[in-house]
Amino acid sequence: MVRAGTLREQDLVSAGLIEAGRLEEIARVADKFAVALTADVAALIDPANPADPIAAQFVPSRAELEVADEERADPIGDERWSPVPGIVHRHPDRVLLKPTLLCPVYCRFCFRREVVGKRPAMLDQRALDRAFDYIRRRPEIWEVIVTGGDPFVLAPRRLADIVRALDQIAHLAVIRFHTRVPVADPRRITPALVAALAAEKAVYVVVHANHPRELTPRAKEALTRLSRAGIPLLSQTVLLRGVNDDAAVLEALFRGLVAMRVKPYYLHHADLARGTAHFRTGIEAGQRLVRALRGRISGLCQPTYVLDIPGGYGKVPISPGAVSAGGEAGGWIVEDPAGARHAYPPDPEG
Ligand code: SF4
């Protein structure tokens, strides 16, 4: 389950990313969940730091063998909403299309870790045609989210075929790609890949990034190539204990993204995937961070903090409220970024 051309368990030892004595434990993890790191990601890791936030995201650990009672194989209920292979249709106006289950790296907290990197890894042409047909027959579908796995591991020619097929479906307005490639394997964002995304319809790219150190000059080049092609860029971040559960780290990440023309979109509360309890913060801790960020960074830098309700019930915002009913009848109390409370509307005498 280790992608060819990437670092294998043994490579992790020779790269100094794990000690030889941990090899057996890592092999047990790799039996259950795919393992892969790109050279770009490996180069970001400080092997001398046992708490390195990049290593924590990609280097397997024994903690993944421990499954908490509340954890699930399919935490957000993809299976329940999958009418045909490769499609997840949870909300009336949009579907997920998963042409591949391969990724350039395998994140240790992945919510699809039971399926990514495993066979069958690709939708064959017949299944892909069936998926397009499913979309074609439903005029209520407005947006297709091409995800996986990571769709940007596909060859540009294959990606262009997908974009072309979707572009020809009259009722679709938006084709959205979810990817980790611009930060994890930025050299894949070639002019040919960017050209493959050209369409009449609006094409958006949502980049998964969790730590400011992922925003390397090479990642910037990749993102610039996409934005220069007129593709709007958004980001999603997973809130991870020991990686980015710190206001200063999130601030640097979101400022860095905006400076690279990427609008922070979602901050995900980590899902209940099996073997990932060591990554999860409590919701209260997440809300404290979101509250701290309100006073520190502009609205442009602020994503929406969301939870995907286990079982496939969809995503909901879980940011702390800044407003509650109170004061005069029909009035409200609003909290400013510093935590002070104010009546709304204000007292005309005050
Ligand atoms: S890149 Fe996305 S789909 Fe792939 S392992 Fe990471 S979180 Fe999962």
Side-chain angles (χ1 to χ4, degrees):
M1 272 189 291
V2 181
R3 189 164 71 83
T6 57
L7 277 76
R8 298 165 184 274
E9 294 102 283
Q10 187 59 52
D11 301 328
L12 298 181
V13 175
S14 47
L17 300 179
I18 59 163
E19 300 130 29
R22 284 182 58 205
L23 200 50
E24 197 198 318
E25 136 203 352
I26 297 308
R28 280 171 55 213
V29 175
D31 264 354
K32 289 179 176 251
F33 307 114
V35 174
L37 277 84
T38 57
D40 282 88
V41 162
L44 288 178
I45 295 174
D46 173 5
N49 178 4
D52 184 86
I54 308 297
Q57 293 184 68
F58 302 107
V59 176
S61 85
R62 180 205 303 268
E64 294 174 55
L65 297 169
E66 284 158 31
V67 177
D69 288 346
E70 68 276 19
E71 292 179 341
R72 302 168 175 217
D74 179 15
I76 68 164
D78 278 354
E79 212 34 58
R80 175 178 169 202
W81 296 106
S82 182
V84 296
I87 290 277
V88 177
H89 196 177
R90 209 184 320 266
H91 305 286
D93 73 329
R94 71 212 99 127
V95 293
L96 306 187
L97 170 64
K98 300 192 275 185
T100 178
L101 291 173
L102 296 175
C103 296
V105 286
Y106 291 103
C107 311
R108 308 322 306 161
F109 49 85
C110 175
F111 64 129
R112 296 202 176 109
R113 60 191 332 228
E114 310 271 346
V115 292
V116 292
K118 299 183 184 173
R119 290 179 194 284
M122 307 281 266
L123 278 193
D124 60 25
Q125 195 54 49
R126 211 159 140 245
L128 208 46
D129 287 341
R130 211 169 146 213
F132 292 142
D133 222 43
Y134 180 88
I135 299 166
R136 223 174 267 126
R137 287 166 191 266
R138 287 168 179 77
E140 69 275 19
I141 299 175
W142 178 82
E143 179 182 23
V144 173
I145 298 154
V146 190
T147 178
D150 194 316
F152 282 5
V153 301
L154 297 175
R157 195 168 46 83
R158 212 167 145 74
L159 212 45
D161 289 345
I162 293 173
V163 171
R164 201 172 311 116
L166 295 174
D167 209 21
Q168 283 167 4
I169 300 177
H171 58 262
L172 282 185
V174 176
I175 305 168
R176 187 198 327 169
F177 287 90
H178 282 188
T179 179
R180 192 107 158 94
V181 162
V183 297
D185 204 1
R187 280 172 280 200
R188 279 186 192 263
I189 308 294
T190 57
L193 185 142
V194 176
L197 303 178
E200 286 300 313
K201 300 196 189 291
V203 173
Y204 283 71
V205 170
V206 182
V207 184
H208 173 178
N210 297 328
H211 193 277
R213 270 179 32 212
E214 294 167 37
L215 305 180
T216 60
R218 228 175 239 152
K220 184 177 181 182
E221 252 171 60
L223 293 166
T224 303
R225 226 171 249 155
L226 291 163
S227 62
R228 288 221 170 114
I231 298 172
L233 302 175
L234 304 168
S235 69
Q236 45 187 344
T237 293
V238 184
L239 180 60
L240 299 166
R241 188 198 295 193
V243 173
N244 58 17
D245 59 334
D246 176 285
V249 170
L250 289 175
E251 175 181 345
L253 172 66
F254 298 143
R255 283 191 196 278
L257 285 164
V258 170
M260 293 183 187
R261 299 188 175 84
V262 182
K263 164 76 186 98
Y265 177 38
Y266 279 147
L267 174 64
H268 293 272
H269 192 74
D271 293 309
L272 298 175
R274 293 202 285 205
T276 63
H278 54 297
F279 281 116
R280 280 192 297 280
T281 66
I283 287 182
E284 241 181 34
Q287 291 187 326
R288 261 198 309 277
L289 286 165
V290 169
R291 195 174 271 123
L293 288 174
R294 273 188 196 148
R296 292 168 78 128
I297 49 177
S298 87
L300 194 57
C301 300
Q302 314 234 9
T304 306
Y305 180 35
V306 291
L307 172 75
D308 235 308
I309 304 173
Y313 299 98
K315 233 178 243 86
V316 284
I318 55 169
S319 294
V323 63
S324 52
E328 293 294 309
W332 298 88
I333 301 293
V334 285
E335 196 180 299
D336 69 25
R341 292 156 70 82
H342 309 267
Y344 182 87
D347 178 355
E349 309 293 320

